[in-house]
Amino acid sequence: FTHARNFISAAAFAGANGILPFGQIDDVKKAWNALQLSGPGMRKNNEFYQELLDLGVVNTQVQLGDLKRLLKDVDFGATLNNVTGLNGFLKKLSKAKKFAQDAYTAEDDFWKIASWAMEKSRLESNMLAKGIKRGDVIKRNGVDITIDDQFFKEEAADIVRNNIPNYDYVSDFVKSLRKLPIGNFVSFPAEIVRTGTNIVRRGLREINEEFVTPDNKKIKPFEAIGYTRLFGFGLTTTAVPVGTAAAFSAIYDITEEEREAIRRYAAQWSKNSTLLPMRTEDGNFKYIDFSHANAYDTLVRPVQTLLSSVADGRTD
């Protein structure tokens, strides 16, 4: 269940950047073939994976980075390894652990590789739409740059590194917080805040950034991408959770008053979540905590907490 949640929720990273998940089948196949996991169709393009590794696109899973360091903090398994008769059993567990870690990394890598390929593709197509093709030299911030394949690779890699959670970009201060009694997996919410801010910043930059062609003509080749990115971010973080909750209310004929009642009786940890209400055949209510599968819940939850507090009559 954890692996399924990890894979499905990570699709939100592509959507938040204005990319339709599974929108370009060729790029999806390319991502699948590059995954470093034992499975059908995988490990067919190791050179491509190594290139992405050099660009800092893959092998940067955030939760797994926290988990590995937590196990190291507590010296996990050190005592058991000294118990006679357990060595054979622990070796089998070690293999299972390695497979689980590789799978977790592959699930994250899949979306990062697919996003990188789609970003690269739309960067090139938008440049071409403005009359800029490979080999042309144009000015960016007063500096001459050559528009070639390497330019698109590095530009797409920069987007993935900064707009999708990346453990390499988590500060030492944030990493050290896992040792305090405030929560173990602190890197992921920190990265959601960083990348969420970067998506908006990148979108605004793409809308406004001007390039100068050799004939001194000013163009904005990434303007359309910027608007698409901002639209995707708004849709993913706001419209999808609200729309899904509204759809469940309509399907099960649940009123706003009943939704508020469900929230009042929800578990303490779910009171400020996005709840999907349902009505059973005998007329009772139950709900799904949508926030548990929503990668961007860190950004949405403060607003939901405010709304819940107002609904409860709090004025402070």
Side-chain angles (χ1 to χ4, degrees), residues 293-304:
N294 182 10
Y296 288 98
D297 182 65
T298 301
L299 299 179
V300 177
R301 186 170 289 265
V303 178
Q304 183 59 58

Side-chain angles (χ1 to χ4, degrees), residues 260-261 263-265 268 271-272 304-315:
E260 291 178 5
R263 187 174 295 279
R264 285 199 300 273
Y265 285 95
Q268 187 63 38
K271 284 189 179 295
N272 296 317
Q304 183 59 58
T305 302
L306 178 64
L307 294 175
S308 298
S309 298
V310 171
D312 288 341
R314 290 184 57 184
T315 58

Side-chain angles (χ1 to χ4, degrees), residues 186-306:
V186 294
S187 297
F188 185 73
E191 275 299 277
I192 287 296
V193 173
R194 183 185 74 88
T195 56
T197 304
N198 285 344
I199 289 172
V200 176
R201 182 184 289 121
R202 176 83 193 192
L204 293 174
R205 180 181 131 190
E206 288 168 333
I207 291 170
N208 295 292
E209 187 175 25
E210 290 184 337
F211 291 74
V212 181
T213 63
D215 56 357
N216 289 323
K217 180 182 177 182
K218 293 183 179 179
I219 60 171
K220 295 181 179 180
F222 303 145
E223 186 176 15
I225 297 177
Y227 282 115
T228 303
R229 196 180 305 281
L230 293 180
F231 176 77
F233 185 70
L235 188 69
T236 303
T237 57
T238 307
V240 169
V242 173
T244 305
F248 268 70
S249 296
I251 292 170
Y252 290 97
D253 192 24
I254 296 175
T255 65
E256 182 64 29
E257 185 178 14
E258 289 170 329
R259 286 174 59 178
E260 291 178 5
I262 291 173
R263 187 174 295 279
R264 285 199 300 273
Y265 285 95
Q268 187 63 38
W269 55 83
S270 293
K271 284 189 179 295
N272 296 317
S273 299
T274 300
L275 303 181
L276 308 182
M278 296 183 291
R279 192 193 304 269
T280 61
E281 292 182 358
D282 56 6
N284 292 323
F285 296 108
K286 60 181 181 179
Y287 64 86
I288 296 173
D289 189 337
F290 181 78
S291 294
H292 189 62
N294 182 10
Y296 288 98
D297 182 65
T298 301
L299 299 179
V300 177
R301 186 170 289 265
V303 178
Q304 183 59 58
T305 302
L306 178 64

